[in-house]
Amino acid sequence: MRTKKFGHHGPNVSVIGQGTWYLDRGDRKAAVAALRRGIELGMTHIDTAEMYGDAELVIADAIQGRRDELFLVSKVLPSNASRRGTITACERSLKRLKTDHLDCYLLHWRGSYPLEDTVAAFEELVASGKIRSWGVSNFDADDLGEILEVSGKGRIACNQVLYHLQERAIEHAVIPWCEKHGVAVVAYSPFGHNDFPSPRSKGGEVLQKIAEAHNATPRQVALAFLTRAASVFSIPKASSTEHAAENAAAGDLVLSASEIEALDKAFPRGPKPRSLPML
Ligand code: NAP
């Protein structure tokens, strides 16, 4: 598994990590096993949120004895992101995850509390050692500019945003903004939240051809394409050890310039939408 620097100021983090939305809905033992297999194979970046039901409890079981290897991320809901509410939400997540700190803590999306209040709470959590860094999610370039005004340079670790082959809106303004300011980009729903191109579609055929050349799978090719920029990480969710293993192997797949060009044509970026798409 390749690792790369998480923004200008962060540690090295696995290029492919593990999402956990809906991971609590199916067989919990299988979910724990999938996460463990993923960690063994180097997918040490684990993403969760207070919104994801019992996912934090599933993670707590999976990471026992391995906490030190991980880059563990959770998120505060906008409705809790007041000065005090952010601290309380973080403490609840730490308890559920059975850990004493998060590696990064995110505002899940922009809500009605002033950014000043949430940022002040994040900085208090950093000072008390409960989080190592903080970031945002679903922020467009304008929102990023606003929070940078509040936080000052070098404080925003990442922006977690929707990014898959059929939704490339972040390439217009978000990725360039993040690269300019040393902010990591974390691509969520890399398989379109289970809407992956069918093998019979035109794009699916391009994926299949490139996959065969690398003895890989179309999903691995998709992950390699999405993480081709130095600033971008991806966090697919898998509930089986087989899916986790397949996703982890994408962390060593590097595509050639002509393969990237072929994918770019097969899944065009499209015009810049008015607002940033999110799930
Ligand atoms: P996703 O990762 O794009 O897709 C998950 C789906 O793909 C599941 O149905 C999963 O099936 C399937 N899958 C995974 N690996 C596979 C493989 N190797 N072969 C075949 N199928 C495979 O969707 P997502 O869960 O929406 O996004 C990933 C993570 O991003 C989330 O879990 C969450 O942590 C984060 N996220 C963040 C936000 C935000 O607002 N910040 C929003 C959405 C998601 P199985 O479960 O059966 O393995």
Side-chain angles (χ1 to χ4, degrees), residues 236-247:
K237 170 254 182 183
S239 2
S240 69
T241 52
E242 293 79 12
H243 285 175
E246 179 178 339
N247 300 344

Side-chain angles (χ1 to χ4, degrees), residues 14 42 51 114 145 155 174 193 205 218 235 240 264:
S14 63
M51 193 187 99
R155 302 306 301 157
V174 171
H193 194 67
E205 283 172 13
I235 46 166
S240 69
D264 180 53

Side-chain angles (χ1 to χ4, degrees), residues 87-106:
I87 309 269
T88 315
C90 180
E91 286 167 349
R92 272 197 307 269
S93 284
L94 292 175
K95 209 166 173 192
R96 281 198 296 262
L97 287 160
K98 296 197 181 129
T99 186
D100 61 355
H101 74 280
L102 293 171
D103 295 278
C104 199
Y105 194 41
L106 314 183

Side-chain angles (χ1 to χ4, degrees), residues 162-168 187-193 195 226:
L162 179 64
Y163 188 39
H164 55 83
L165 289 172
Q166 296 167 105
E167 184 46 83
R168 296 174 56 192
Y188 74 67
S189 303
F191 302 144
H193 194 67
D195 182 19
L226 297 171

Side-chain angles (χ1 to χ4, degrees), residues 55-201:
E56 289 178 327
L57 302 178
V58 175
I59 294 171
D61 281 349
I63 66 175
Q64 267 182 40
R66 307 201 72 155
R67 174 68 188 91
D68 294 349
E69 300 161 53
L70 305 178
F71 188 80
L72 187 55
V73 180
S74 192
K75 312 183 196 83
V76 58
L77 278 168
S79 52
N80 287 334
S82 63
R83 180 81 166 79
R84 176 138 295 283
T86 302
I87 309 269
T88 315
C90 180
E91 286 167 349
R92 272 197 307 269
S93 284
L94 292 175
K95 209 166 173 192
R96 281 198 296 262
L97 287 160
K98 296 197 181 129
T99 186
D100 61 355
H101 74 280
L102 293 171
D103 295 278
C104 199
Y105 194 41
L106 314 183
L107 175 58
H108 209 144
W109 64 90
R110 199 168 170 180
S112 53
Y113 284 110
L115 292 173
E116 284 81 357
D117 293 6
T118 313
V119 168
F122 282 158
E123 290 295 351
E124 186 181 324
L125 288 165
V126 171
S128 62
K130 289 179 179 158
I131 66 174
R132 297 262 156 91
S133 66
W134 60 265
V136 292
S137 177
N138 298 302
F139 269 44
D140 207 341
D142 299 352
D143 302 307
L144 288 164
E146 272 186 58
I147 198 162
L148 179 68
E149 288 281 308
V150 171
S151 68
K153 283 184 187 168
R155 302 306 301 157
I156 310 162
C158 70
N159 185 22
Q160 188 181 117
V161 278
L162 179 64
Y163 188 39
H164 55 83
L165 289 172
Q166 296 167 105
E167 184 46 83
R168 296 174 56 192
I170 62 163
E171 291 180 21
H172 291 284
V174 171
I175 293 182
W177 192 99
C178 288
E179 290 186 344
K180 183 172 171 199
H181 294 91
V183 172
V185 177
V186 178
Y188 74 67
S189 303
F191 302 144
H193 194 67
N194 210 19
D195 182 19
F196 196 70
S198 132
R200 285 173 301 280
S201 65

